[in-house]
Amino acid sequence: MTPNESTRSYEDYLEYRQSRQRIPQYEQYLARKLFSPHDPYVILRNKYPYTENHFLFWIHPTYERFYSSFTRIKSIVHTHFPDRTILHLFENTMENRSVLKIRHVHVILDK
């Protein structure tokens, strides 16, 4: 995959690839870093953003079945960011996902 206008910057792309190569078993490492034992989800600013105000709604694999609806995810995002508007909420297609084992939804907020 190479970046284009709708993806992250080329510099972010290269940094991301390097971190994936540097860390063995990256997805297990990521799960340990993201979640405390009983966190069903976390919302974090995207370290490798596609655009400004790009957050990720990470869903703990154990609780994934409770977050099948974008309606629920939107409601939670509004609770965390009551003064912001969701501009876009999406999941990458399977062929464009770099993290396959931890479901995550991209959240683009206004400024």
Side-chain angles (χ1 to χ4, degrees):
M1 178 179 134
T2 58
N4 61 40
E5 298 80 19
S6 66
T7 62
R8 60 181 61 102
S9 74
Y10 191 69
E11 292 80 15
D12 283 343
Y13 169 77
L14 290 176
E15 182 182 337
Y16 177 73
R17 281 193 52 196
Q18 289 173 349
S19 71
R20 291 285 309 239
Q21 292 169 350
R22 191 175 58 245
I23 301 169
Q25 299 177 336
Y26 183 78
E27 292 191 16
Q28 291 175 352
Y29 165 82
L30 186 58
R32 285 192 310 273
K33 287 295 204 179
L34 287 172
F35 304 108
S36 296
H38 302 290
D39 286 339
Y41 67 86
V42 294
I43 303 172
L44 298 171
R45 186 173 291 278
N46 191 344
K47 186 174 180 182
Y48 306 103
Y50 298 164
T51 185
E52 289 184 75
N53 302 306
H54 184 178
F55 293 80
L56 292 171
F57 186 101
W58 293 96
I59 302 167
H60 191 295
T62 301
Y63 302 100
E64 188 174 329
R65 68 182 180 274
F66 300 112
Y67 296 89
S68 59
S69 160
F70 268 22
T71 303
R72 180 162 192 203
I73 293 170
K74 282 181 183 180
S75 175
I76 293 168
V77 170
H78 282 301
T79 300
H80 286 273
F81 301 99
D83 298 331
R84 313 263 312 259
T85 301
I86 297 173
L87 299 177
H88 202 40
L89 190 77
F90 66 96
E91 287 184 87
N92 284 336
T93 59
M94 286 305 287
E95 60 269 6
N96 288 326
R97 291 181 188 177
S98 55
V99 176
L100 300 175
K101 296 180 181 175
I102 307 172
R103 185 172 173 222
H104 55 288
V105 176
H106 296 262
V107 181
I108 311 297
L109 299 175
D110 68 351
K111 297 183 185 210

